[in-house]
Amino acid sequence: MHFRARTATLLAACCLGAASKVNGQQLTAYDALARRLASITARIDSLEAGMCPAPAPVSPTRRSGDARADSLAAGLDRLDRKVENLRAGRCQAGAVAQPADTTDDLANLRAAAAAAAGQPAREAGDTTAPRPAPTTPTQPSGGPRGANLLNPEISATGDIRLVARDGRQRDNGVAREFEFAFQSALDPYSNTKIFMTFEDEEVGIEEGYIYWTGLPGRLRLDVGKFRQQVGDLNRWHLHALPETEYPLVYQRFFSPEGLSGVGLSLYTNLPFSLAGATHEVWLQATTTGSDSLLAGGHQPVLLGRLQNFWQLTRTTYAQVGITALGGNNDDVGLSSRVIGLDFRATYRPPEAGTRRDITFRAEGYRFHATELGATTNRYGGFLDLQARTSQRWVLGARYDHVEAPFGPANTEWRITPNITWWESEFVYLRLEGEHRHSDLEGTHNMLSLQAVWAMGPHKHETY
């Protein structure tokens, strides 16, 4: 019945539209028929929505003398009676309460509005908010979706290098590192990160720690194995560095992979500002196997870092950090201390977004060691410049200089110009040259092509 009534209504509407264009002098009669058609349509909509519209008296339409208009009026009379009979049968069965308001236009408007909102009709005088439409039951939390929420976010990174050296060729293709990262929010209070590496056919844990944020005193607490907060680049993973290797001063004063250890870390930002800066503080205590600091021992290493940040202009910001760390290996009579100063300045026009910027870094370190009564002071540092000329291309160069931490004060320096093409945030290629000089090994040159790709939610993270 509903389908047939709907079809008849649509046909009547088409006829009315066509007739209104045939005889402009009889628009009044056709307007009355159009209003009646709208009323019938609203009542049909109400019935299809499962509600009961107000009863409407069915009385024959007055004839106008126009044969076409009178034929349409007779058809609407028959349709009106069918709709009223259907309404009476449904509402008498008590399916849905009938609205008390019997005004045709108002009742029809209310019924049509309720039908569009998917809500049942309301009684007259009911001022409460409309009841929400029924919703589809959600899947229980124990189902597949709920179980998936317990899985960590998994990412993987590949780092392959093709190398050409002057002199005898060896190790020209190197699978430098494959890294797998697992990250997850354990509960509302704690998170974890675990980074596994496959390097030189060995499996290792580069980092694996749990951390809590929002502790009293605006503290963050990290416990586990992590890369320590030395300078600006030690915290970065190898594949995310602006060059293919860590600076020489990191390698000689700490270890070939920089400084990392197992222990705890406390971080906070200070609640005051000096000279318009934002101040951050780290205190860390770890056990590390650094040959330079502890001659391979596993005694505690204490570290403190103060980092200051200034937003100089809309386009320029600067950062200055001071790091101090040290440890003792009583078994061999070694005491070592390192103090470093680092600076970074970045120019990035807001309108350029991530398509253009220039970053300059400078870091310097003093290594002070006392071993069996003999004291040495050695120095090292680097200068680094990176210029992103577009969204795809980055030009860079770094100059390293360092003295050997023990023994004769042999020096080592190198220059590494490079050009990086970012295919996307998932893939980049880097061509890098290296000119190195060492008092012990002489001068060497090298050209390398680095391919880095990443999958998963966490790409080439920087800190």
Side-chain angles (χ1 to χ4, degrees), residues 4-230:
R4 292 196 300 272
R6 172 68 66 186
T7 303
T9 303
L10 293 175
L11 289 174
C14 293
C15 293
L16 283 174
S20 63
K21 297 179 182 179
V22 173
N23 191 349
Q25 297 178 352
Q26 296 180 341
L27 286 177
T28 303
Y30 289 119
D31 287 344
L33 292 175
R35 287 194 298 272
R36 187 174 181 192
L37 177 62
S39 176
I40 295 173
T41 302
R43 295 167 66 201
I44 293 174
D45 290 341
S46 232
L47 289 170
E48 289 181 342
M51 298 179 293
C52 287
V58 180
S59 57
T61 305
R62 181 180 300 178
R63 298 299 183 258
S64 63
D66 180 88
R68 182 174 294 179
D70 291 343
S71 176
L72 289 173
L76 289 178
D77 289 343
R78 292 191 298 271
L79 181 61
D80 204 356
R81 284 192 293 271
K82 290 181 179 180
V83 173
E84 179 58 28
N85 291 337
L86 181 62
R87 186 210 65 81
R90 172 171 294 178
C91 294
Q92 287 176 1
V96 181
Q98 177 178 318
D101 193 333
T102 57
T103 304
D104 277 352
D105 292 341
L106 184 58
N108 292 334
L109 287 173
R110 285 179 174 173
Q119 299 172 354
R122 294 189 294 160
E123 297 288 345
D126 184 2
T127 59
T128 60
R131 291 182 293 274
T135 58
T136 304
T138 58
Q139 188 170 4
S141 60
R145 289 185 182 177
N148 190 54
L149 294 176
L150 300 178
N151 294 331
E153 297 176 348
I154 301 176
S155 305
T157 303
D159 184 353
I160 297 293
R161 302 178 190 182
L162 305 179
V163 180
R165 298 178 173 85
D166 56 359
R168 183 179 179 181
Q169 300 299 311
R170 66 184 188 281
D171 297 331
N172 298 102
V174 180
R176 183 64 180 85
E177 183 181 69
F178 293 97
E179 181 180 275
F180 291 85
F182 305 86
Q183 306 188 39
S184 179
L186 303 176
D187 52 45
Y189 315 102
S190 57
N191 298 265
T192 187
K193 293 185 178 183
I194 298 175
F195 299 91
M196 299 178 59
T197 58
F198 295 82
E199 183 178 354
D200 296 331
E201 299 182 357
E202 295 183 358
V203 180
I205 302 296
E206 182 169 10
E207 292 192 278
Y209 57 92
I210 180 175
Y211 64 94
W212 294 264
T213 58
L215 298 177
R218 303 190 299 188
L219 290 174
R220 165 173 163 162
L221 172 63
D222 296 42
V223 176
K225 181 178 181 180
F226 47 85
R227 300 191 61 85
Q228 295 189 248
Q229 204 71 38
V230 177

